[in-house]
Each structure stands twice: as C-alpha cells, then as structure tokens.
C-alpha cells in the first residue's frame, strides 16, 4: 500500500533541494574571504526565471502534480461512508426459518419463526413486531431474538388460524411498536423490506386433529314383548364412533324414563371396535307411558375415559332422542307403590314443609299432595341450617324456576337431586359447606340462567361439571377453597355474561385459555384472590364484549404489555390495591371505550409515556395512594413551524386540559388552547411579533371543564387552586397534577 506520509516527506525533500537559499548570519566555519563578505553583505537571491533550469512560476504546479500522484495511490473510499451513514438496511428476508412439526402445516401451539437480516449488526429495545398474513387474518409475530444482523420474530398458532395457501408477509410490515432497532452508533435502521408471497411449505391449520366422534346413535333395542319393557328387562342402547376407541372406567348414558333419569352403564365394545353398548335394568318403580327419551349429550365419562389409539379423548356430543312410543316402560309396581315414590311425606321434613308452603293452594297434609300440586310450584326456598338433602326430595317439581338453598349446612349434594328440574332458571347454593360436587350434579338443567356456588369449601371442580349449561348467564364461584381451575371448565358456557371469581384465597394461577370460549362475557370479577400474582399474556383474548373487568385486591407486581389487547368494548378497568410497580408502555392502547380506570393503592412511582393516548372516553381516573401521586403531567410548549407553538403532554391527556397562554413582544392568535382527552397535542397557536425580534410565549395556568373533578393541588404561577374552579362536583379524577412548562422564545 502506498505510504502517504513517506510520499509527502519525499516531495518535501525534493522541493527543498530544488530551492536555493542563503544564510543571513555569520558562521565561524566560513573563510573570511571576499566571497564570504559579499554573502554576508547581501544574501544571494535565486535567479528570477530558473530553478535548476525551471521557471519559478512552475513551482506551485509541481507541488499540485506531486500531491495528485500521491493521492492516486490511496485506496478507494467506502461509498456508504462517503454518502453518510443512513442506518442499517434490511438486506435479506423476510424468510420463514421454522418448519412445521409434521408435513407442511403448522398446528395449534406450534411456533412460526420469521427472520430479517440487516446490513450490519443491530441492537433491539422493547418489542418490535412483524405482521404476518395467515389466511384472511393479520397476526403479529413478536421480536424473539437477535443473532448479530439477523432478527427473529415468533408467532404461536392459535386454534382459529387457517391458511391453506401458506403464510405470507406483506411489503414493509416490520413495526417498531415503540421500540428501536439501531446500529452500534445509534443510527436508526431502515425498516423497508420486500413482500414474501404465500409459502406453500408453510401452511397453517390451527384446528386440532379431529377426535373420535359419535356418528350413529343412540339406538335402543326393542322390548322383548310388544312395545313395553317390563321389570328386570334390560334396555340396551348403542353409540357408534367414527373410529375404534378404547374404554376405561365406567362411562354411562342418561335415559329419561317418565320423570326420572336412569343411568345405563357401559357394558362392552362391539366387535367393530367403534360401537359401545350401554344397559339399564328396569326397576319396579319405573314407568313411562310416552316412551323412553334421551337428552342431547347425555353420555358421561363418570371418571372413566373414551379415547382413540393415540390417546385423544373422544367427542361425547350426540343428538337427542325424542319419546319413543314403541319403547314404553312399565315396572308393574302397582299404583300404591308408585304413589309412595312420588309422595311428599317420604321426603326430608324441611323439604315437606317448604313444598306445602309453596303450593298454589297451601296444604297441611303431605299425603294429599298431587302431581298437579307439585307442578304448580315455581319458587322454592329452603334456607337456614338445612343439614342435608336426599335423592328424590325435589322430584316432581317440573315447573320450578327458582330454587334457593342458601345459608344451609349442606356438605354434599346427591347425584340425582336436581333430576327433572328442566325449567329451573335460578339455583342459589351460596353459604353452604359443600366440599365437592358430583360430576353430573347439574345434568339436565338446560334452562339454568344463574348459578351461585360462592362461600363453600370447594377445593376442586370435576371435569365437565358445567357441561350442558348452555343457557347459563351468571356464575359465582367466590370465597371458595379452589386451588386451580380446569382449563376447559367454562367451555360449554357460551352464553355466560357474568362471572364472579373473588376472594378465593388459595387460587394462585389461572390457565391462559380458561376464558377463551366465553364470547358473550360482559362482566368479569377477579378480585381479592390473595395468592394470584400473575396473569398470562393471552388471558383475555377473545373477550371482545367484555365491559367491566375488576382485578383489584390481588398480588400483581407487573402485568404483560398485551394483556388487555382486543378489549375494545371495555368500559371499566379496576386494578386497585395490587403491588404494581410499573406499567408497560402501550398497555392501554386500543381501549377507546374505557370510561373508568382505577389504579389507586399500588406502588407506582411514574406513569409510562403515552399512557392515556386514545382514551377519549375516560370519565373517571383514580391514581391516589401510589408513591408517585400526585403524578405530574407536564404541559410543555413546543415550536410549530416558524411562527407558532403547540402545548403537549407526553403521557396524553386523561381529561380535556385547558391551557392559558400569554406572550411578551407580540400577540397570540388565541390565549387558550385545549388538549383533548386521549390526545398529546393542542391546536397550533400563531405568535405575531410587535416590531421586535422575538416573542416569548408562556403557559399561565391549566384548568378542566366544569364536568370534571380534580382533587389537589396548587399549581403554576400564582398558585391557582383547581378546587376553586370546580366547586363541589364529584371527585372523578384523583392523584394527577398538571405541571406547567417553561416559556418558549420564538425568533
């Protein structure tokens, strides 16, 4: 490589050798001669036209030529540096770097990984994300890791994801999401990238593999004689599945014989491996003149299992069977025995009295109660210290709509105690001592709308305990001893609107998908669960109709940033009295319907920037009781163009903030501006100089519309008290203070 320094020195020596010079001082070494004297007397000057044979005026030209020759040896300049560093650029990708676990299709819970490679190593902060196109839906792959210049983004497939053509990525779908991507010098990366067309080797089918399902049945065998089963005769019912299944334990199938439910027990599997046979032996008191019927989805595992060869649990759903006139039942027990089986006199004494009091025509003699009397009862109250219930106590109450069993000492419920109550709408069981529930205890209550199990000693819920309660709208499971909830415990409650889970002191965690199948839920209370310290990120996914969410009185210290994503109809969010020390930026993004936000009584010292952005409907805000309260919203002045200013609040305005401005050295187009609720910036105010070189604009005070209450404090110049501005209106905003920024000089 050419040495520039060496070349420069060499040129310098050449030039020095070419230019004659003379001494201007005496030297002892010089002979005292006439020539020396002449030199001392007058320094010798070079010839005016030649330097070693060259004209003097060519000297600058020689220097320039020599420098040019040296520069020709320099290495070529880096074009990127010559043009200025514009930041890292995407040079490769997007590319799908993961592979489906099987074949070319991702299934539910599999992770799709997509990479982007930059022109140099980059650093990443917070959570940039890349939008994927999966079928007709947009899905966000979140930043997962970095390997030098290559960033990886990951998305976990959900059950409703479908893409038969293959995953695609649109052009320029990388978003910072309030994060950063920079090189080592802090230069922001360029985010432009090409699109990725449908990738046929990367299809998506989030729907799980189909489990075995019932394809035929229930089918009843024929009576041995005529059209009526007699006492001791077996009623045999078969169900055929879509493939061979293995059975363990004691599954059973519910039959409706007259007004009673009778259980046909699993007997055997037919030779085809897919048909299961159930049998029930007719008892002496069985009677059905209309014919046997079978309710929809009456197959129960009863602690057993029905699975395919891979261990996948079978789908137990099947259609109903209406009354079969050719399949009657006559236990031949005689009228007297049948009357006794339905008689009120044989029931628990407290139940007898309650039934007699509740009849349309009150009766004091239990022996005279008829089936018509029983069917006239729509409301039955059995409260205060009832120690137990027996099977059959509620038999015949076919039109009962409300059953109140609260404030008793019930420790268990007989398995068939609610059989036949097909019109029951409200069942209250709070304030008892129930320790466990039978798996099928609520079977057949297809019209039940409200169920209260609060204030019991329940430690666990059996699998499928709420199956079939498709009409249920309100469920209370508060003040229990529950340690956990089964992941699919609410799966059948598609019409549930209100769910109360508070005061469960032993509940320490919740499954991420536990609320996934509650599309109509409007009210959810997760309050005062003292061991509940964390929530999964997708906890509330799919609750698009949720309006009221209470999470107060738990032990949350942090919450996932995206935990409230998708709650577009949420109006009230209460996070009071937790242990929150920080709030992620963007946590409340998208909650445009929110009217009340309660964060009081936590451990917050600061609020994230942009916290209130977009909360245009906020009407109540509670922040007191935090170390940082009152939280300061700094109203700052910023230049807008060459002749104006705007007022900004970095956190966004939780309520409309009216700001008064003044100017020295000029006039303003308006002296009052408003930062609207949910916004960060006011309209522009123009400043006009009064013949001076500059105008100084100052913030004088901040106030809010009279419909808002602002507690505390004296702020700004002149110590204006906002209490004086709003009088005695309701205290809706608490723990926030507006700080007024410094003046701004406009040239």
């Amino acid at each position: 490589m050419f040495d520039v320094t060496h070349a420069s020195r060499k040129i310098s020596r050449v030039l020095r050798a070419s230019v004659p010079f003379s001494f201007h001082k005496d030297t002892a070494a010089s002979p005292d001669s006439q020539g020396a004297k002449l030199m001392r007397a007058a320094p010798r000057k070079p010839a005016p036209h030649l330097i070693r044979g060259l004209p003097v005026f060519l000297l600058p030209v020689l220097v320039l030529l020599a420098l040019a020759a040296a520069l020709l040896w320099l290495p070529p300049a880096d074009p990127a540096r010559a043009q200025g560093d514009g930041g890292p650029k995407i040079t490769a990708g997007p590319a799908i770097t993961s592979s489906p676990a099987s074949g070319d299709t991702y299934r539910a819970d599999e992770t799709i990984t997509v990479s982007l490679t930059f022109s140099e190593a980059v650093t990443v902060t917070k959570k940039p994300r890349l939008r994927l196109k999966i079928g007709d839906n947009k899905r966000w792959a979140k930043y997962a890791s970095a390997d030098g210049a290559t960033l990886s983004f990951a998305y976990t497939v959900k059950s409703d994801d479908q893409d038969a053509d293959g995953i695609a990525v649109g052009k320029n779908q990388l978003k910072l999401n309030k994060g950063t991507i920079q090189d080592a010098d802090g230069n922001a990366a360029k985010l432009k990238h090409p699109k990725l067309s449908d990738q046929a080797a990367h299809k998506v089918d989030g729907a799980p593999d189909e489990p075995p399902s019932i394809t035929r049945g229930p089918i009843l065998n024929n009576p041995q004689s005529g059209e009526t089963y007699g006492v001791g005769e077996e009623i045999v019912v078969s169900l055929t599945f879509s493939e061979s299944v293995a059975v363990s334990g004691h599954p059973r199938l519910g039959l409706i014989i007259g007004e009673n439910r009778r259980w046909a027990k699993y007997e055997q599997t037919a030779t085809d491996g897919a048909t299961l046979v159930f049998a029930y032996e007719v008892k002496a008191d069985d009677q059905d003149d209309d014919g046997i019927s079978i309710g929809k989805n009456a197959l129960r595992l009863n602690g057993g299992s029905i699975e395919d060869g891979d261990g996948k649990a079978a789908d137990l759903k099947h259609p109903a069977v209406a009354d079969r006139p050719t399949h009657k039942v006559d236990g031949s027990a005689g009228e007297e025995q049948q009357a006794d089986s339905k008689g009120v006199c044989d029931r628990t004494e407290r139940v007898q009295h309650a039934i007699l009091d509740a009849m349309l025509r009150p009766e004091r003699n239990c022996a005279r109660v008829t089936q018509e009397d029983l069917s006239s009862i729509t409301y039955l109250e059995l409260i205060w210290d009832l120690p137990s219930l027996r099977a059959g106590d509620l038999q015949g109450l076919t039109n009962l709509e409300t059953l109140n069993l609260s404030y008793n000492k019930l420790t268990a419920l007989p398995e068939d105690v609610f059989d036949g109550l097909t019109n029951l709408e409200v069942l209250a069981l709070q304030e008892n001592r129930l320790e466990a529930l039978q798996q099928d205890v609520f079977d057949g209550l297809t019209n039940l709308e409200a169920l209260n199990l609060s204030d019991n000693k329940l430690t666990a819920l059996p699998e499928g305990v709420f199956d079939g309660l498709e009409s249920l709208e309100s469920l209370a499971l508060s003040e229990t001893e529950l340690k956990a909830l089964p992941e699919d415990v609410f799966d059948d409650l598609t019409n549930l609107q209100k769910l109360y889970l508070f005061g469960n002191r032993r509940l320490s965690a919740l499954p991420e998908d536990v609320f996934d199948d509650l599309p109509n839920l409007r009210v959810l209370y997760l309050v005062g669960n003292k061991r509940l310290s964390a929530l999964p990120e997708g906890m509330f996914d799919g609750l698009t109709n949720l309006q009221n969410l209470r999470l107060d009185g738990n032990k949350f210290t942090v919450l996932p940033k995206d935990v409230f994503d998708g709650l577009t109809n949420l109006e009230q969010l209460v996070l009071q009295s937790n242990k929150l020390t920080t709030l992620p930026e963007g946590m409340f993004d998208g909650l445009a319907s929110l009217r009340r936000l309660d964060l009081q009584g936590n451990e917050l010292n600061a609020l994230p920037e942009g916290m209130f952005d977009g909360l245009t409907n906020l009407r109540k805000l509670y922040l007191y009781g935090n170390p940082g309260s009152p939280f300061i919203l700094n109203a700052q002045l910023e230049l807008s163009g060459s002749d104006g200013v705007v007022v900004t609040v970095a956190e966004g305005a939780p309520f409309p903030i009216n700001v008064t401005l003044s100017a020295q050295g000029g006039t303003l187009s308006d002296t009052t501006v408003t930062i609207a609720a949910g916004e960060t910036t006011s309209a522009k105010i123009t400043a006009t100089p009064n013949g001076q070189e500059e105008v100084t604009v100052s913030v004088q005070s901040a106030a809010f519309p009279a419909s808002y209450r602002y507690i505390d404090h004296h702020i700004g110049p002149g110590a204006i008290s906002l209490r004086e501005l709003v009088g005695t209106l309701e205290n809706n905003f608490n723990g926030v203070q507006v700080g007024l920024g410094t003046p701004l000089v406009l040239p």
Side-chain angles (χ1 to χ4, degrees):
M1 181 179 291
F2 182 77
D3 190 334
V4 178
T5 304
H6 176 72
S8 300
R9 290 173 179 168
K10 186 173 181 180
I11 293 169
S12 177
R13 288 197 299 270
V14 170
L15 293 177
R16 285 200 300 272
S18 302
V19 179
F21 59 91
S22 61
F23 293 99
H24 293 270
K25 61 181 179 179
D26 293 335
T27 176
S30 301
D32 189 13
S33 63
Q34 182 68 25
K37 291 179 181 178
L38 289 173
M39 290 179 65
R40 286 195 297 271
R44 188 177 60 172
K45 296 181 180 180
H49 299 295
L50 294 173
I51 298 176
R52 289 194 178 183
L54 292 175
V56 173
F57 64 82
L58 291 178
L59 179 59
V61 177
L62 289 173
V63 174
L64 292 174
L65 289 173
L67 288 173
L71 291 173
L72 289 174
W73 289 87
L74 291 175
D78 185 345
R81 295 188 179 275
Q83 297 174 9
D85 194 343
K89 300 178 181 178
I90 295 173
T91 57
I96 301 177
T97 55
S98 57
S99 297
S102 177
D104 60 4
T105 303
Y106 295 90
R107 300 289 181 180
D109 298 326
E110 290 187 46
T111 299
I112 301 167
T113 305
V114 184
S115 69
L116 290 167
T117 300
F118 288 82
S119 55
E120 58 183 296
V122 292
T123 57
V124 180
T125 66
K126 298 185 180 177
K127 295 183 179 179
R129 54 187 184 175
L130 180 68
R131 186 156 60 182
L132 314 181
K133 185 174 183 291
I134 298 180
D136 295 328
N137 300 313
K138 300 294 190 297
R139 297 287 188 253
W140 288 106
K142 299 177 182 178
Y143 166 69
S145 63
D147 183 7
T150 300
L151 304 187
S152 293
F153 299 82
Y155 171 74
T156 301
V157 176
K158 292 184 169 52
S159 59
D160 57 347
D161 289 331
Q162 292 285 334
D163 195 330
D165 300 320
I167 301 164
V169 181
K171 181 179 179 182
N172 304 332
Q173 295 300 305
L174 175 59
K175 306 298 179 184
L176 290 178
N177 192 29
K178 297 186 179 179
T180 63
I181 302 175
Q182 300 175 337
D183 64 13
D185 297 327
N187 297 305
K190 307 297 184 183
L191 306 185
K192 293 182 179 179
H193 64 77
K195 72 176 183 178
L196 179 69
S197 58
D198 294 335
Q199 299 294 293
H202 298 275
K203 302 180 179 70
V204 178
D205 182 3
D209 291 340
E210 292 298 325
S213 59
I214 297 172
T215 57
R216 187 167 180 261
I219 298 175
L220 289 85
N221 69 323
N222 293 317
Q224 295 176 3
S225 175
E227 56 184 25
T228 303
Y229 299 94
V231 66
E233 188 175 347
E234 279 197 331
I235 302 171
V236 179
V237 188
S238 64
L239 292 168
T240 301
F241 285 82
S242 56
E243 58 182 293
S244 294
V245 292
V247 181
S248 68
H250 305 283
R252 57 186 185 173
L253 183 67
L255 312 180
I256 305 299
I257 298 179
E259 296 175 359
N260 302 309
R261 172 172 296 184
R262 297 291 186 249
W263 291 103
K265 299 177 181 179
Y266 167 71
E267 292 287 328
Q268 62 180 355
T269 301
T271 55
D272 62 5
T275 300
L276 306 188
V277 179
F278 300 81
Y280 170 73
E281 183 178 326
V282 175
K283 303 293 188 297
D285 58 349
D286 287 332
Q287 189 75 29
D288 195 329
D289 297 331
D290 299 321
I292 299 169
S293 63
I294 302 174
K296 180 181 178 182
N297 305 332
L299 176 58
R300 296 288 182 266
L301 291 176
N302 193 31
S305 66
I306 302 174
E307 301 174 342
D308 66 9
D310 297 325
K312 187 178 279 81
D315 182 352
L316 306 185
K317 294 184 177 66
H318 64 77
V321 174
D323 291 336
R324 299 290 298 275
T326 57
H327 292 73
K328 300 181 177 71
V329 178
D330 182 2
S332 301
E335 290 298 324
E336 183 177 352
Q337 186 172 352
Q338 290 180 32
D340 287 342
S341 71
K342 297 180 181 180
V344 174
C345 297
D346 291 335
R347 308 187 190 199
T348 302
E349 184 177 1
R350 287 278 307 279
V351 176
Q352 291 181 36
H353 295 161
I355 289 176
L356 294 175
D357 291 341
M359 286 168 26
L360 268 178
R361 295 172 296 172
E363 175 63 65
R364 295 296 98 191
N365 187 347
C366 61
R368 298 179 61 181
V369 176
T370 67
Q371 180 57 46
E372 183 180 356
D373 293 328
L374 292 176
S375 63
S376 71
I377 299 174
T378 59
Y379 180 90
L380 185 64
E381 185 172 88
L382 281 160
I383 62 173
W384 304 117
D385 298 332
L386 177 68
S388 63
L389 281 174
R390 297 201 305 254
D393 270 348
L394 305 173
Q395 183 180 342
L397 301 174
T398 54
N399 289 310
L400 191 64
E401 296 177 356
T402 299
L403 175 59
N404 189 350
L405 293 169
S406 306
Y407 312 108
N408 290 307
K409 298 179 180 179
L410 301 176
T411 58
L413 295 172
E415 185 174 9
D416 302 330
V417 68
F418 303 125
D419 277 8
L421 306 186
T422 54
N423 288 300
L424 194 64
E425 297 177 354
V426 178
L427 176 57
L429 286 161
Q430 70 266 29
E431 294 277 359
N432 276 284
R433 301 175 184 178
L434 297 173
E435 297 177 357
L437 295 173
Q438 300 280 349
Q439 181 185 35
D440 304 314
V441 68
F442 302 123
D443 279 6
L445 302 184
T446 54
N447 288 302
L448 194 64
E449 297 178 359
L451 173 61
N452 193 339
L453 289 164
S454 297
D455 293 287
N456 278 286
K457 298 184 179 299
L458 297 170
T459 58
L461 294 174
E463 177 188 355
V465 68
F466 300 128
D467 286 0
L469 302 185
E470 287 130 5
S471 298
L472 199 66
E473 297 180 357
S474 177
L475 174 61
L477 280 168
S478 302
E479 302 289 346
T480 72
E481 300 294 321
L482 290 172
K483 298 178 182 178
L485 293 176
E487 184 173 344
D488 58 356
V489 66
F490 304 128
D491 280 7
D492 268 20
L493 307 183
T494 53
N495 285 304
L496 196 66
Q497 298 180 26
K498 299 177 182 179
L499 177 58
Y500 302 98
L501 290 164
F502 55 81
N504 296 297
R505 60 189 180 89
R506 304 181 70 182
L507 188 65
S508 59
L510 292 170
E512 180 173 359
D513 301 330
V514 71
F515 303 132
D516 275 9
D517 294 301
L518 302 177
N520 292 302
L521 198 65
R522 295 188 295 106
V523 176
L524 175 58
Y525 282 14
L526 284 168
V527 179
N529 302 298
K530 297 299 184 181
R531 295 189 183 183
L532 193 60
S533 59
L535 290 177
E537 184 170 339
M539 182 87 266
F540 307 117
D541 285 358
L543 301 185
T544 54
N545 288 304
L546 195 65
Q547 298 174 2
N548 187 343
L549 176 59
R550 286 191 55 180
L551 298 169
D552 44 313
N554 296 300
K555 296 293 183 183
F556 304 136
T557 55
V558 295
L559 290 173
K561 174 184 178 297
D562 300 327
V563 70
F564 302 126
D565 279 8
L567 302 184
T568 54
N569 288 302
L570 193 65
E571 297 179 1
Q572 175 171 274
L573 176 59
V574 180
L575 287 161
Q576 173 186 346
S577 301
N578 279 283
K579 301 289 184 182
L580 294 171
T581 58
T582 184
L583 298 173
E585 287 189 23
M587 168 178 275
F588 304 121
D589 288 358
L591 303 185
S593 299
L594 198 64
R595 300 175 64 85
R596 178 189 179 190
L597 176 59
D598 191 338
L599 289 160
Q600 61 185 306
N602 280 284
E603 298 178 8
L604 299 170
N605 280 295
L607 300 179
E609 184 173 335
M611 174 180 172
F612 304 112
D613 289 5
L615 301 185
T616 54
N617 285 299
L618 197 64
R619 295 294 179 268
K620 295 186 179 183
L621 173 66
Y622 303 101
L623 286 165
Y624 63 87
N626 285 284
S629 177
F631 293 92
I632 306 299
L633 302 181
N634 289 311
Q636 301 288 342
L637 287 169
E638 293 185 5
L639 289 172
S640 178
S642 60
D643 61 346
V645 296
V646 293
V647 183
T648 65
V649 180
E651 294 84 358
F655 36 72
I657 299 177
N658 296 331
V659 180
T660 302
L661 304 177
S662 67
Q664 294 180 351
T667 58
L668 300 175
S669 58
D670 200 335
T671 58
T672 302
V673 293
T674 299
I675 304 176
E679 300 295 334
T680 59
T681 307
S682 72
K684 176 181 176 180
I685 298 296
T686 302
T688 304
N690 291 337
Q692 300 183 24
E693 292 185 357
E694 52 186 36
V695 180
T696 301
V697 180
S698 302
V699 179
Q700 295 300 298
S701 63
F704 320 118
S707 59
Y708 295 91
R709 170 73 173 183
Y710 182 86
I711 190 75
D712 231 6
H713 286 277
H714 296 281
I715 63 171
I720 298 173
S721 171
L722 294 179
R723 285 180 183 272
E724 299 171 5
L725 296 176
V726 298
T728 59
L729 295 177
E730 181 188 357
N731 174 17
N732 283 342
F733 292 96
N734 199 320
V736 185
Q737 178 175 328
V738 177
L740 305 181
T742 57
L744 187 64
V745 178
L746 279 72

